[in-house]
């Protein structure tokens, strides 16, 4: 029998997964944590960093979840979601998006993020490539790496309203390309693809047999003449190539409820369901009942929030456009705006770091989204804070 004396005094640490230890933490959540700490210390911080509606979840949704809890609806459900909610999502897809997804093609998950990750795991093999237009949502590259695939970034331009062109898409395709991610309305850009632009992207995907993950979480938040189109609705062939992801966080201000969903070709949905059954199993039972109430209840609450976001959007765009040395592409969706900071000669991390320490304003550095020339501001904050924060930003920029 060995004794403690036979063991080395300083054993080497046990190796972890080489690939997954390379994942980066969400810089946006790190920034949000810093801002929270400052507020708790009594600092008057204006926060434009995180994409979370400042509205309460509508009352009828809260009441439905509470009633479900009171009725004992606190147990496991089917991994892919309760039948009533999947039926309601199927009807929502049919009514809002002209998509015919049967309940068996729908997976309810713990957020749209989980839908995206499990989709990557379901369709990607080691070394497959996933095309990601840049600027991108911070989690896209990491979820591709989780699936042991390779993110391929395509830099979009302000001149094209931060949208990938079919020519750029085609140029990025290789024999290893498996999927492209399209996010419309977009985070962090606020861009909304037109039906014609989506059709051109689909045509390239179809020519090269590339799958499309269509992230439509901000679909209800579009402004002026912009309209949301689901890429899978363009034609039967587009439907067969597309996984449509959505959720409740943004439109219904349900970020903490962790409730998302996807519709996909049946063979993909089946694999995603199997993966989810071994990871988290079902989404929270009473959250699902809240989601059911959200879809089946009065939608005026969604419109009221959209109208308020629109006021803030217009105000923020006008104020940023008037600041000397900055410019922005007018956003037509979601609740973000990218502010160009190139004229100041600072990296996006330097700019956002100094803005926080010198002016107590939180913005997200563009490097987190793959573009160091910008910072992202969220207008999912009340108008008094927006006004005060933009005053501080203007004064800060004037000193640079």
């Amino acid at each position: 029998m060995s004794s403690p004396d036979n063991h080395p005094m300083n054993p080497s640490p046990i190796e972890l997964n080489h690939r997954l230890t390379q994942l980066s933490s969400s810089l946006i959540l790190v920034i949000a944590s810093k801002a929270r700490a400052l507020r708790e210390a009594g600092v008057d911080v204006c926060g434009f960093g995180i994409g979370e509606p400042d509205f309460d979840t509508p009352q009828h949704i809260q009441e439905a979840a509470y009633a479900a809890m009171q009725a004992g609806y606190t147990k496991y459900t089917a991994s892919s979601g309760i039948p009533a909610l999947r039926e309601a999502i199927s009807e929502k897809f049919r009514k809002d998006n002209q998509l015919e997804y049967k309940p068996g093609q729908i997976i309810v998950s713990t957020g749209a993020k989980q839908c995206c990750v499990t989709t990557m795991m379901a369709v990607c093999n080691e070394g497959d490539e996933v095309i990601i237009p840049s600027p991108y949502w911070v989690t896209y590259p990491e979820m591709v790496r989780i699936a042991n695939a390779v993110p391929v970034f395509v830099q979009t331009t302000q001149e094209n309203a931060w949208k990938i062109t079919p020519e750029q898409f085609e140029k990025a395709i290789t024999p290893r390309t498996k999927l492209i991610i399209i996010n419309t309305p977009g985070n962090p850009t606020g861009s909304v693809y037109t039906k014609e632009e989506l059709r051109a992207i689909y045509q390239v995907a179809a020519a090269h047999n590339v799958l499309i993950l269509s992230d439509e979480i901000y679909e209800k938040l579009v402004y002026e003449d912009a309209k949301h189109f689901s890429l899978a609705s363009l034609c039967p062939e587009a439907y067969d190539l597309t996984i449509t992801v959505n959720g409740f966080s943004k439109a219904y201000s349900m970020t903490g409820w962790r409730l998302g969903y996807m519709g996909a070709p049946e063979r993909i949905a089946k694999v995603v369901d199997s993966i989810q059954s071994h990871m988290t199993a079902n989404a929270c039972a009473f959250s699902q009942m809240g989601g059911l109430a959200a879809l089946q209840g009065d939608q005026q609450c969604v419109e009221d929030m959209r109208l308020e976001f629109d006021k803030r959007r217009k105000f923020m765009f006008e104020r940023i456009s008037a600041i000397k040395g900055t410019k922005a592409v007018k956003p037509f969706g979601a609740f973000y705006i990218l502010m160009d900071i190139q004229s100041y000669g600072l990296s996006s991390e330097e700019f956002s770091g100094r803005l926080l320490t010198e002016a107590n304003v939180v913005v997200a550095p563009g490097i987190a989204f793959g573009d160091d020339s910008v910072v992202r501001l969220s207008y999912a904050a009340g108008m008094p804070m927006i006004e005060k924060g933009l005053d501080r930003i203007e004064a800060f920029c004037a000193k640079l």
Side-chain angles (χ1 to χ4, degrees):
M1 180 181 293
S2 64
S3 68
D5 293 338
N6 296 330
H7 290 282
M9 294 296 292
N10 296 300
S12 299
I14 296 172
E15 285 190 78
L16 303 180
N17 184 302
H18 293 295
R19 178 169 51 86
L20 297 185
T21 54
Q22 301 305 308
L23 296 180
S24 61
S25 298
S26 170
L27 186 54
I28 306 308
L29 294 183
V30 171
I31 292 166
S33 179
K34 287 182 180 179
R36 192 178 304 113
L38 285 171
R39 288 196 185 97
E40 289 172 355
V43 178
D44 178 23
V45 175
C46 293
F48 301 140
I50 195 164
E52 182 171 49
D54 59 315
F55 305 102
D56 286 338
T57 302
Q59 191 65 30
H60 69 282
I61 298 173
Q62 295 185 42
E63 290 171 357
Y66 181 70
M69 281 188 280
Q70 292 294 98
Y73 210 80
T74 57
K75 309 297 183 183
Y76 292 129
T77 75
S79 173
S80 53
I82 61 174
L85 181 55
R86 294 169 83 192
E87 288 278 2
I89 292 169
S90 177
E91 177 59 26
K92 181 263 177 230
F93 273 133
R94 187 177 302 114
K95 182 180 69 174
D96 290 355
N97 309 104
Q98 293 73 58
L99 287 171
E100 294 291 336
Y101 286 122
K102 295 178 292 186
Q105 295 175 266
I106 290 165
I107 308 295
V108 177
S109 69
T110 58
K113 182 182 288 188
Q114 185 181 20
C115 289
C116 293
V117 174
T118 50
T119 293
M120 295 296 168
M121 297 173 73
V123 306
C124 291
N125 291 300
E126 183 177 359
D128 282 348
E129 295 175 351
V130 175
I131 294 173
I132 304 175
S134 176
Y136 47 75
W137 178 42
V138 294
T139 301
Y140 288 148
E142 306 309 325
M143 62 177 60
V144 171
R145 294 184 180 108
I146 287 171
N148 211 11
V150 180
V152 175
F153 305 109
V154 176
Q155 183 64 50
T156 63
T157 65
Q158 297 186 52
E159 291 70 29
N160 201 49
W162 301 117
K163 293 184 275 191
I164 191 172
T165 67
E167 293 78 17
Q168 287 179 305
F169 177 20
E170 188 146 37
K171 187 177 179 181
I173 291 173
T174 75
R176 298 295 298 175
T177 304
K178 175 62 69 74
L179 180 143
I180 183 173
I181 300 175
I182 298 295
N183 177 208
T184 180
N187 173 13
T189 64
S191 298
V192 181
Y193 284 79
T194 67
K195 191 173 187 178
E196 293 70 27
E197 289 166 339
L198 292 175
R199 189 178 301 280
I201 288 167
Y202 150 70
Q203 288 169 343
V204 174
H208 297 273
N209 201 31
V210 173
L211 292 170
I212 303 163
L213 191 152
S214 183
D215 183 347
E216 304 180 11
I217 188 71
Y218 294 96
E219 69 159 338
K220 298 292 186 182
L221 302 178
V222 292
Y223 314 106
E224 297 187 34
D225 295 330
K227 290 182 173 58
H228 171 74
F229 294 96
S230 286
L231 199 151
S233 70
L234 295 175
C235 61
E237 293 78 14
Y239 177 92
D240 290 338
L241 283 177
T242 303
I243 301 97
T244 306
V245 173
N246 210 317
F248 297 87
S249 294
K250 311 303 182 180
Y252 297 97
S253 195
M254 294 173 66
T255 52
W257 295 62
R258 306 318 304 135
L259 194 63
Y261 58 89
M262 59 179 282
E266 197 163 352
R267 69 190 186 98
I268 295 176
K270 184 177 180 181
V271 178
V272 169
D273 187 16
S274 179
I275 294 169
Q276 183 166 298
S277 73
H278 292 291
M279 291 180 68
T280 58
N282 60 277
C284 172
F286 47 84
S287 286
Q288 292 188 62
M289 295 302 288
L292 183 62
L295 293 180
Q296 294 183 337
D298 188 349
Q299 301 301 297
Q300 187 59 44
C301 58
V302 178
E303 178 63 6
D304 290 344
M305 286 187 277
R306 189 194 71 83
L307 290 172
E308 181 58 31
F309 284 136
D310 192 20
K311 293 177 187 175
R312 301 171 185 180
R313 175 189 69 97
K314 292 172 182 174
F315 180 83
M316 184 174 280
F317 175 71
E318 290 170 1
R319 284 293 307 272
I320 289 174
S321 299
I323 296 173
K324 186 177 181 181
T326 70
K327 61 180 180 177
V329 176
K330 191 175 188 180
F332 288 96
F335 39 62
Y336 310 104
I337 186 167
L338 291 179
M339 173 176 156
D340 188 311
I341 59 165
Q342 293 180 82
S343 69
Y344 302 120
L346 300 174
S347 72
S348 60
E349 280 196 274
E350 289 170 331
F351 183 95
S352 58
R354 286 184 57 183
L355 184 63
L356 179 57
T357 57
E358 297 176 29
N360 296 329
V361 176
V362 180
V363 298
I367 193 65
F369 310 102
D371 194 320
D372 207 24
S373 69
V374 296
V375 294
R376 188 195 75 174
L377 285 76
S378 166
Y379 47 90
M383 188 62 81
M385 181 181 289
I386 290 175
E387 292 175 352
K388 180 166 59 175
L390 288 171
D391 286 342
R392 293 179 183 180
I393 291 174
E394 185 172 17
F396 172 78
C397 289
K399 296 187 297 183
L400 294 178

